[in-house]
């Protein structure tokens, strides 16, 4: 079995199945298609499958003409029929791993996907989990389910973990251009998984176990979450002292060693940084330990949206205006600049707080023309408003939540009555700085 699969990978006759056709799955398909592999995409969302089969993308950084080219070359097919997973030689799992309401890991999607794979698992298949999770998930959650079919890992089938490393909106790093960490359940699984990824990515780093690869991903994102928390906390202190934290960071990053710049904001967003550290703190509790540093960082970051709204109320009060009834336009609902990804965006926390306080709320986001439904938020039906002179002039405040490059900040400041900038987006605006407040 091992030799047959390795030869198919070497010859690029192996069929690559991607489970979960979202912000991780589609770029991964692109990476394998570009190196000559035939791919199959699996998703339970029929609407997504229908769009892809029609050559239409729903993710900004994978344009529709890219999907069309996959179809024209007959290197891609999307389906909701999970029984067809037996047709793939390698199955790469890219499903969500959210948190529960009590901030515990929710592995429902991983478990259900693994159960579906087990139903059709055949000798000679490679299974790789890419979804972010806590160490031991591959071994303790997936392996028992897959072994239930009387197949032996490392002999009949192969199992590995390789954390996704996507950076949406960053043109310098495509899925193929980011090194890939791989940990196999055994030597055969590791060797085959490495051989597969070596075709699709710039560099593959082998580690000794799935647990090391799982912990690697958690470390990467916890590192960022903790450092962002530090600058968020410093921002609240420096605001009180009348010191511009952005200028402080710009000065500090001139040091050529021992410092990496992290930036404050209205809260954490995206599918990794707001979630992954809590996976680690949950695992620590299982082991009878506490990760106080990580939990403190989580507390700091999760209270930032409330801090922004408190500052907004303070600044409006200085203009003799109450927050209730004020017209507030929020710029940006994506979690980071220049992407169409709203997952875990702090903008929705800001929206909740503003609506609770009775503001007349509207928004603009050139990448998200209509507010999407969100799991933990009661999102109103609303469309992005055009940023005309008249519209801006009628707002009591424009709140910059996401600093998209498409925004003309000089125009926005010129025609607005007040601008609350949470991203330092207006740093180069010269005229009208008396209208700009930071939070």
């Amino acid at each position: 079995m091992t030799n047959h699969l390795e030869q198919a990978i070497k010859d690029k006759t192996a069929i690559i199945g991607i489970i979960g056709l979202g912000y991780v799955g589609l770029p991964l398909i692109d990476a394998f298609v570009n190196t000559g592999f035939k791919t199959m995409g699996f998703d339970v969302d029929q609407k997504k499958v229908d769009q892809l089969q029609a050559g239409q993308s729903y993710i900004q950084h994978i344009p529709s003409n890219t999907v069309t080219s996959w179809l024209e070359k007959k290197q891609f097919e999307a389906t909701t029929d999970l029984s067809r997973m037996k047709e793939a030689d390698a199955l790469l799992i890219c499903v969500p791993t959210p948190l529960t309401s009590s901030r515990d890991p929710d592995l429902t999607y991983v478990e259900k996907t693994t159960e579906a794979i087990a139903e059709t698992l055949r000798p000679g298949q490679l299974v790789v989990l890419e979804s972010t999770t806590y160490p031991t998930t591959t071994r303790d959650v997936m392996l028992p389910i897959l072994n239930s079919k009387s197949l032996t890992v490392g002999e009949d089938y192969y199992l590995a973990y390789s954390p996704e490393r996507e950076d949406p909106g960053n043109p310098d790093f495509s899925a193929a251009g980011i090194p890939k960490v791989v940990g196999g359940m055994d030597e055969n699984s590791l060797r085959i998984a490495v051989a597969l990824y070596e075709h699709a990515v710039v560099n593959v780093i082998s580690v000794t176990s799935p647990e090391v690869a799982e912990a690697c991903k958690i470390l990467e994102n916890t590192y960022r979450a903790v450092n962002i928390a530090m600058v968020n906390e410093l921002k609240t202190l420096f605001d009180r002292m009348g010191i511009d934290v952005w200028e402080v960071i710009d000065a500090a990053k001139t040091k050529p060693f021992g410092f990496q710049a992290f930036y404050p904001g209205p809260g954490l967003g995206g599918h990794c940084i707001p979630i992954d550290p809590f996976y680690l703190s949950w695992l620590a509790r299982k082991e009878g330990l506490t990760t106080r540093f990580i939990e403190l960082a989580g507390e700091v970051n999760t209270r930032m949206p409330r801090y922004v709204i408190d500052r907004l109320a303070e600044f409006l009060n200085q203009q003799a205006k109450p927050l209730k009834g004020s017209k507030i336009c929020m710029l940006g609902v994506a979690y980071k600049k220049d992407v169409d990804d709203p997952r875990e965006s702090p903008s929705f926390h800001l929206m909740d707080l503003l609506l609770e306080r009775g503001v007349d709320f509207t928004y603009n986001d050139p990448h998200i023309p209509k507010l999407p439904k969100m799991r933990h938020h009661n999102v109103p039906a609303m469309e992005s408003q055009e940023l005309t002179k008249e519209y801006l002039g009628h707002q009591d405040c424009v709140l910059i939540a996401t600093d998209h490059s498409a925004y003309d900040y000089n125009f926005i400041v010129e025609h607005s009555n007040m601008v609350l900038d949470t991203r330092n987006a207006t740093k180069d605006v010269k005229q009208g700085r008396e209208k700009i407040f930071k939070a």
Side-chain angles (χ1 to χ4, degrees):
M1 293 298 174
T2 306
N3 292 338
H4 176 77
L5 180 54
E6 284 184 296
Q7 190 61 47
I9 290 172
K10 182 178 180 180
D11 296 340
K12 299 184 181 180
T13 57
I15 298 173
I16 314 303
I18 311 294
I19 306 167
L21 302 178
Y23 290 89
V24 175
L26 289 190
L28 199 56
I29 288 171
D30 193 46
F32 279 105
V33 167
N34 288 338
T35 53
F37 284 91
K38 182 179 178 181
T39 64
M40 297 180 70
F42 298 91
D43 204 288
V44 295
D45 187 335
Q46 186 66 54
K47 183 179 178 181
K48 284 184 177 180
V49 166
D50 291 343
Q51 284 184 258
L52 291 171
Q53 285 295 99
Q56 299 171 3
S57 176
Y58 39 81
I59 293 177
Q60 182 174 284
H61 60 288
I62 300 292
S64 293
N65 58 10
T66 296
V67 178
T68 300
S69 72
W70 301 343
L71 296 168
E72 289 176 346
K73 291 185 288 188
K74 301 188 184 305
Q75 287 180 263
F76 172 71
E77 178 185 2
T79 180
T80 57
D81 184 358
L82 301 186
S83 69
R84 295 188 60 195
M85 290 192 292
K86 61 180 178 289
E87 299 175 28
D89 298 291
L91 292 166
L92 313 183
I93 303 170
C94 308
V95 297
T97 47
L99 295 170
T100 66
S101 57
S102 58
R103 294 195 178 279
D104 290 339
D106 182 356
L107 295 184
T108 302
Y109 298 103
V110 171
E111 292 170 348
K112 288 187 178 299
T113 299
T114 308
E115 289 166 0
I117 291 173
E119 288 296 319
T120 61
L121 186 65
R122 59 169 173 79
Q125 281 186 304
L126 167 67
V127 180
V128 184
L129 178 62
E130 290 218 358
S131 306
T132 302
T133 187
Y134 58 85
T136 71
T137 298
T138 309
R139 189 180 304 276
D140 293 347
V141 177
M142 293 184 64
L143 184 60
I145 297 172
L146 296 173
N147 278 349
S148 66
K149 293 301 177 181
S150 301
L151 296 177
T152 302
V153 69
E155 296 179 10
D156 300 313
Y157 75 98
Y158 313 97
L159 179 62
Y161 181 81
S162 181
E164 58 88 5
R165 280 175 165 173
E166 274 291 303
D167 191 13
N170 187 340
D172 297 328
F173 294 109
S174 65
I178 303 173
K180 207 87 165 70
V181 173
V182 180
M185 194 60 65
D186 54 83
E187 289 185 6
N188 285 338
S189 295
L190 177 61
R191 186 177 67 255
I192 291 171
V194 167
L196 176 65
Y197 282 112
E198 280 179 338
H199 284 285
V201 301
V202 65
N203 189 25
V204 179
I205 297 91
S206 301
V207 295
T208 55
S209 69
E211 288 80 8
V212 172
E214 291 162 337
C216 166
K217 176 64 172 178
I218 294 288
L219 172 60
E220 293 170 15
N221 290 329
T222 301
Y223 168 77
R224 294 177 66 191
V226 167
N227 280 280
I228 292 170
M230 182 187 71
V231 294
N232 275 332
E233 191 161 56
L234 287 175
K235 178 173 78 168
T236 63
L237 170 62
F238 291 163
D239 279 353
R240 181 72 60 88
M241 299 174 66
I243 299 172
D244 187 340
V245 67
W246 300 93
E247 187 177 358
V248 173
I249 294 169
D250 284 344
K253 72 180 183 183
T254 62
K255 183 181 179 182
F257 57 91
F259 181 83
Q260 181 180 353
F262 289 84
Y263 297 97
L268 290 184
H271 66 296
C272 287
I273 302 178
I275 294 174
D276 297 358
F278 291 106
Y279 270 47
L280 197 55
S281 58
W282 173 85
L283 185 63
R285 291 196 299 273
K286 279 189 64 180
E287 298 293 330
L289 300 172
T290 57
T291 49
R292 289 182 291 172
F293 207 67
I294 294 170
E295 289 166 9
L296 178 60
E299 291 174 16
V300 171
N301 288 325
T302 54
R303 70 178 181 231
M304 291 312 296
R306 192 170 297 276
Y307 174 78
V308 169
I309 301 306
D310 288 345
R311 294 287 281 171
L312 172 61
E314 178 184 337
F315 294 136
L316 282 170
N317 188 58
Q318 293 174 10
Q319 310 295 321
K321 294 179 180 178
L323 184 57
K324 184 176 182 179
S326 289
K327 294 181 181 295
I328 308 296
C329 165
M330 185 167 67
L331 299 189
V333 294
Y335 83 89
K336 64 182 286 192
K337 68 186 296 183
D338 302 340
V339 303
D340 60 347
D341 188 348
R343 290 176 297 173
E344 306 297 329
S345 173
S347 294
F348 291 96
H349 294 285
L350 294 171
M351 186 187 310
D352 288 344
L353 293 169
L354 289 169
L355 292 172
E356 284 174 11
R357 284 158 175 75
V359 306
D360 184 353
F361 176 85
T362 51
Y363 88 100
N364 172 277
D365 192 312
H367 303 283
I368 302 179
K370 183 182 295 186
L371 288 182
K373 294 180 179 179
M374 303 295 288
R375 185 183 295 110
H376 301 300
H377 304 276
N378 186 18
V379 181
M382 192 176 293
E383 295 183 354
S384 177
Q385 301 296 303
E386 184 180 356
L387 297 183
T388 63
K389 296 178 183 179
E390 295 74 21
Y391 171 73
L392 291 170
H394 280 101
Q395 303 305 306
D396 293 299
C397 181
V398 172
L399 194 169
I400 301 173
T402 312
D403 52 334
H404 291 308
S405 300
Y407 288 135
D408 183 342
Y409 293 106
N410 286 292
F411 177 88
I412 289 167
V413 171
E414 179 184 356
H415 298 289
S416 298
N417 295 303
M418 171 181 160
V419 175
L420 183 62
D421 185 357
T422 70
R423 299 284 190 176
N424 202 32
T426 57
K427 62 182 178 180
D428 296 324
V429 174
K430 303 300 182 186
Q431 301 296 321
R433 295 209 62 83
E434 70 281 357
K435 303 178 187 178
I436 301 173
F437 300 83
K438 293 186 178 181

